[in-house]
Amino acid sequence: MESRNFKRVYVWELPVRIFHWINALCILVLAITGFIIADPVAILSNAEASESYWFGTVRFIHFATAYVFFFNMLLRIYWAFAGNKYASWKAFLPFSKKRWNNILHVLRIDILLQNEKVHDIRNISVGHNMVASLSYIALFVLALVQVFTGFALYADNSDWFLPDLFAWVVPLLGGDFAVRKVHHIATWFFIFFTIVHVYLVFYHDWLEGRGEVSSMFGGYKFIREDRLKKTPGNTKEKSEQPSESKPEDNPKEDEIIV
Amino acid sequence: MATKTDTRETYYESIIKQGYSRRDFMKFATYIAAYMGVETSMIGQVVKSLETTYRVPVIWEHFQECTCCSESFIRSDHPIVSDIILNKISLDYTLTLMAASGHQAEAAKHETMEKYHGDYILCVEGSVPMANDGYCCIAGRSARELLLESAKGAKAIIAWGSCASNGCVQAAYPNPTEATPIHKIIKDKPIIRVPGCPPIGEVMAGIIVHMITFDRLPELDGLGRPKAFYAKRVHDSCYRRPYYDAGLFAESFDDENAKEGYCLYKVGCRGPMTYNACGTIRWNNGVSFPIQSGHGCIGCSEEDFWDNGPFYERLTSLGGFGIESSADTIGKVAAGVLAGGIAAHAIAANVSKRKELKDRNSRGRDNEKQLDD
């Protein structure tokens, strides 16, 4: 049986990777400290209250990390306009027939685990597949919910204008009770997202064998050689702008999924 | 407020007539100015206003309520508070405390509404049932009708207590009477919301004196509450706050931690979510407030506090998922189901795609054999 040739393709630029890992770390820290704040352990101590400050420290970590999370998110939004086509905001919107077909393909092949009769390599996305893209839009909305409710709860502790920008959320939802409830429940959705996200990364790595896991470290994925244009430029191992397999099949140059 | 041609007495005149000395009056002015949160240099202005302002006519309506707001008011700390505010603000109509009754009382109210149209202050205690007018009737007329009538000529409306500002217990799920707070019915008048079940008497007095002194509404927050009293969480002025920051919590009301006076956060204290002045002004002449008495704050001045139970747990239960299920219980179950689903999916993937995997694995093994060591 003939083995296939793969080419290294640069997909995730450094800012995207940095965003990803800071974001992941922030979510981890925020979720842990958040649950501690919601339900701290009751310890009995001989020390006076003035001698200890652990709960204050936990809250400080939560608030400080929230700022990191927020500014990191702003950088990612900037990069959605400055980055390559896999990082672009356009990559996340399913507004073409091809992308709708990709959603159906992913649902059929990867979620319902059907097998293709004819294996078309162009069905495998280079960047995010469209279902994954939609899940990141959902995550982005979720992050906005946390930013709005979190800063709204925090606004009264702060003199800075930034948290105050979100103070209107409290009257909108009727009070701190409701805001806190939303903030707490939304945390669970981050956990659900993470579980599914990590599983699907392993799933794709295992079934497609093209470096899904390591791509978020090095930025490279491995794409079948027959998908690259047969031009002399492509004999180089590294290609900043991997193009689609056959130009005649892909008239739209900015189309990503195939 | 009142016009020059008015023959009524000023606040100061009525206080002196009541038998208080000038010294008592000055003490009161200082004290109420402190509660209002104004600077000491403003005390002169408070004094001057009370000396020169004619008493403002007030109509005080009672709808679906328990009268705890009035009770709180007449028990406020300084004797002049109740005297000046209750007897001497020219309270032209209040069911609970007025001497007149029946037709006389109604006549007095209508006289005030006509004579001082656009000048009087309307105080409302209680919510209005919107489901059926018959749920709350006074003198044969419904609460809604009375409110609309007396609000028409009001200069401003003060919604006393949680009933008038949030709906309170009557509006708790399923809210059979459709108990509705005032600000959802009257849209064209300035409304001050003074939530609390009841609000603190000194807060109520402070708001009225503010309106007399400065002839305008006190500064309000996003929810229409006076900032002087509702800008801080109970938590922020709580004397047990150091225990919170130190992470020292009571876990039940009879444990050693509770005896030590630790923070009541874990037994459901709503202080961190409740905006009120309990921690600074306190209750019953500054004697105590719930947390000082060993019970967590139940958040009585917050919207829907009754539905955000249980009072003795940090996490509120979620509607639609059974009575006792908190977000965390549901979250844990959902995460477990999700993990199970993923495990099943992983197994199914390996079964369904076995041919593909076998091909790839055998190619990998072939390649390994061909390696040039």
Side-chain angles (χ1 to χ4, degrees):
Chain A
M1 195 175 289
E2 199 198 340
S3 192
R4 305 219 161 100
N5 284 324
F6 288 84
K7 290 276 189 191
R8 255 159 92 86
V9 174
Y10 192 49
V11 178
W12 310 128
E13 297 162 294
L14 187 63
V16 173
R17 284 174 278 147
I18 291 176
F19 161 77
H20 177 273
W21 290 113
I22 291 180
N23 198 44
L25 193 67
C26 284
I27 290 173
L28 181 73
V29 171
L30 286 168
I32 291 172
T33 53
F35 280 118
I36 293 174
I37 292 168
D39 189 19
V41 290
I43 47 173
L44 185 63
S45 167
N46 285 326
E48 288 293 320
S50 57
E51 289 166 23
S52 116
Y53 197 70
W54 77 264
F55 198 61
T57 308
V58 169
R59 292 175 69 239
F60 173 78
I61 294 170
H62 190 80
F63 301 144
T65 313
Y67 275 114
V68 176
F69 177 78
F70 177 67
F71 287 116
N72 191 44
M73 195 167 107
L74 291 188
L75 284 178
R76 182 63 183 85
I77 292 170
Y78 164 72
W79 203 249
F81 295 91
N84 70 11
K85 62 180 171 183
Y86 306 110
S88 168
W89 61 275
K90 293 181 213 141
F92 294 91
L93 303 174
F95 296 138
S96 79
K97 192 155 183 297
K98 209 173 261 175
R99 292 186 178 188
W100 279 112
N101 288 339
N102 184 253
I103 293 179
L104 294 177
H105 172 84
V106 173
L107 290 179
R108 247 188 22 247
I109 303 303
D110 294 321
I111 306 300
L112 299 176
L113 298 172
Q114 296 173 359
N115 286 296
E116 287 171 300
K117 289 200 178 68
V118 185
H119 189 64
D120 184 355
I121 52 165
R122 284 175 302 154
N123 273 330
I124 293 181
S125 310
V126 176
H128 306 127
N129 70 49
M130 279 322 295
V131 176
S133 296
L134 293 179
S135 82
Y136 303 139
I137 290 179
L139 187 73
F140 179 63
V141 171
L142 209 52
L144 287 181
V145 168
Q146 292 301 59
V147 165
F148 278 71
T149 54
F151 278 128
L153 288 169
Y154 180 72
D156 271 340
N157 300 334
S158 162
D159 291 329
W160 199 29
F161 80 93
L162 183 73
D164 280 346
L165 289 178
F166 301 92
W168 55 271
V169 175
V170 175
L172 183 75
L173 295 181
D176 280 10
F177 271 108
V179 179
R180 208 195 71 84
K181 205 170 184 174
V182 171
H183 198 70
H184 189 95
I185 292 168
T187 306
W188 276 104
F189 285 93
F190 277 96
I191 293 170
F192 302 152
F193 171 88
T194 308
I195 295 171
V196 175
H197 176 74
V198 171
Y199 165 68
L200 285 176
V201 169
F202 288 154
Y203 167 92
H204 284 288
D205 198 86
W206 170 236
L207 277 165
E208 291 165 8
R210 54 197 190 106
E212 186 86 17
V213 172
S214 66
S215 69
M216 206 30 87
F217 293 95
Y220 296 97
K221 280 192 183 177
F222 296 89
I223 307 297
R224 287 260 294 273
E225 189 180 39
D226 32 356
R227 286 191 68 180
L228 302 181
K229 277 190 254 185
K230 298 283 182 289
T231 55
N234 269 328
T235 53
K236 282 192 293 182
E237 192 192 14
K238 205 162 99 175
S239 167
E240 281 271 340
Q241 291 285 321
S243 19
E244 320 301 353
S245 56
K246 293 173 199 158
E248 60 271 22
D249 291 337
N250 304 288
K252 278 176 75 182
E253 194 56 38
D254 64 339
E255 191 62 77
I256 292 151
I257 53 158
V258 284
Chain B
M1 296 225 163
T3 52
K4 291 264 186 227
T5 54
D6 209 308
T7 50
R8 293 169 306 158
E9 14 178 52
T10 64
Y11 288 97
Y12 178 65
E13 282 164 1
S14 72
I15 288 168
I16 296 299
K17 212 182 211 178
Q18 193 81 3
Y20 291 104
S21 66
R22 166 125 187 125
R23 190 180 180 79
D24 289 332
F25 169 72
M26 292 304 291
K27 275 194 211 163
F28 165 73
T30 312
Y31 152 99
I32 205 76
Y35 276 150
M36 284 155 63
V38 298
E39 288 180 36
T40 40
S41 58
M42 301 285 276
I43 293 170
Q45 198 177 335
V46 174
V47 170
K48 188 148 191 284
S49 296
L50 293 174
E51 280 174 345
T52 55
T53 314
Y54 294 101
R55 290 183 289 131
V56 182
V58 172
I59 292 176
W60 189 307
E61 297 277 19
H62 297 255
F63 300 130
Q64 287 193 136
E65 46 95 356
C66 71
T67 319
C68 73
C69 302
S70 294
E71 288 286 343
S72 172
F73 202 179
I74 57 177
R75 274 158 184 71
S76 64
D77 187 341
H78 199 285
I80 293 184
V81 172
S82 51
D83 269 352
I84 188 186
I85 307 301
L86 221 48
N87 300 333
K88 296 300 164 195
I89 42 173
S90 184
L91 195 52
D92 291 344
Y93 182 83
T94 175
L95 292 174
T96 319
L97 297 159
M98 68 197 301
S101 64
H103 290 295
Q104 262 188 321
E106 297 299 315
K109 180 169 131 184
H110 280 100
E111 200 191 308
T112 305
M113 287 199 302
E114 278 158 33
K115 194 171 168 196
Y116 301 107
H117 190 87
D119 278 332
Y120 64 87
I121 296 174
L122 174 64
C123 296
V124 183
E125 206 179 325
S127 58
V128 177
M130 300 298 271
N132 185 333
D133 282 347
Y135 284 138
C136 180
C137 285
I138 297 149
R141 299 170 68 206
S142 74
R144 174 166 43 175
E145 200 185 329
L146 290 167
L147 174 67
L148 293 175
E149 183 191 57
S150 46
K152 204 182 285 170
K155 183 191 178 79
I157 300 174
I158 306 178
W160 287 143
S162 287
C163 301
S165 43
N166 295 326
C168 201
V169 183
Q170 306 89 280
Y173 180 82
N175 193 1
T177 64
E178 277 175 45
T180 308
I182 304 311
H183 66 99
K184 289 193 178 153
I185 301 170
I186 308 292
K187 301 282 185 190
D188 56 348
K189 296 281 175 189
I191 296 176
I192 308 176
R193 293 163 75 186
V194 191
C197 192
I200 303 170
E202 284 73 21
V203 168
M204 301 171 79
I207 289 163
I208 287 195
V209 173
H210 189 286
M211 291 175 74
I212 295 164
T213 307
F214 301 108
D215 195 17
R216 64 175 114 92
L217 302 188
E219 199 186 346
L220 304 180
D221 68 5
L223 286 168
R225 304 173 297 193
K227 275 189 177 170
F229 306 106
Y230 293 93
K232 285 213 161 100
R233 300 173 171 108
V234 172
H235 190 54
D236 296 328
S237 51
C238 181
Y239 79 105
R240 296 198 190 201
R241 178 60 187 266
Y243 289 111
Y244 173 84
D245 288 328
L248 298 171
F249 302 104
E251 208 159 26
S252 70
F253 286 106
D254 56 357
D255 67 2
E256 199 55 43
N257 301 17
K259 283 178 200 152
E260 291 284 333
Y262 286 1
C263 175
L264 300 168
Y265 183 72
K266 275 181 72 95
V267 285
C269 181
R270 303 290 196 245
M273 292 175 276
T274 304
Y275 291 79
N276 212 330
C278 303
T280 43
I281 295 179
R282 306 194 183 188
W283 291 82
N284 301 325
N285 306 344
V287 168
S288 182
F289 71 114
I291 296 167
Q292 195 173 343
S293 307
H295 189 288
C297 167
I298 62 169
C300 74
S301 58
E302 286 295 306
E303 179 125 354
D304 293 337
F305 79 92
W306 201 266
D307 287 329
N308 281 311
F311 289 151
Y312 301 105
E313 278 169 35
R314 272 281 304 145
L315 299 166
T316 56
S317 57
L318 291 178
F321 289 98
I323 295 162
E324 291 296 322
S325 48
S326 74
D328 285 346
T329 317
I330 295 166
K332 281 173 202 161
V333 171
V337 170
L338 203 57
I342 281 172
H345 191 272
I347 294 165
N350 281 289
V351 173
S352 175
K353 314 262 180 185
R354 61 189 179 280
K355 197 165 162 291
E356 199 182 322
L357 283 165
K358 201 174 146 218
D359 286 353
R360 171 151 344 99
N361 291 347
S362 62
R363 277 202 301 275
R365 265 178 234 114
D366 288 347
N367 288 341
E368 192 266 333
K369 281 177 198 134
Q370 287 166 30
L371 276 179
D372 171 26
D373 323 282

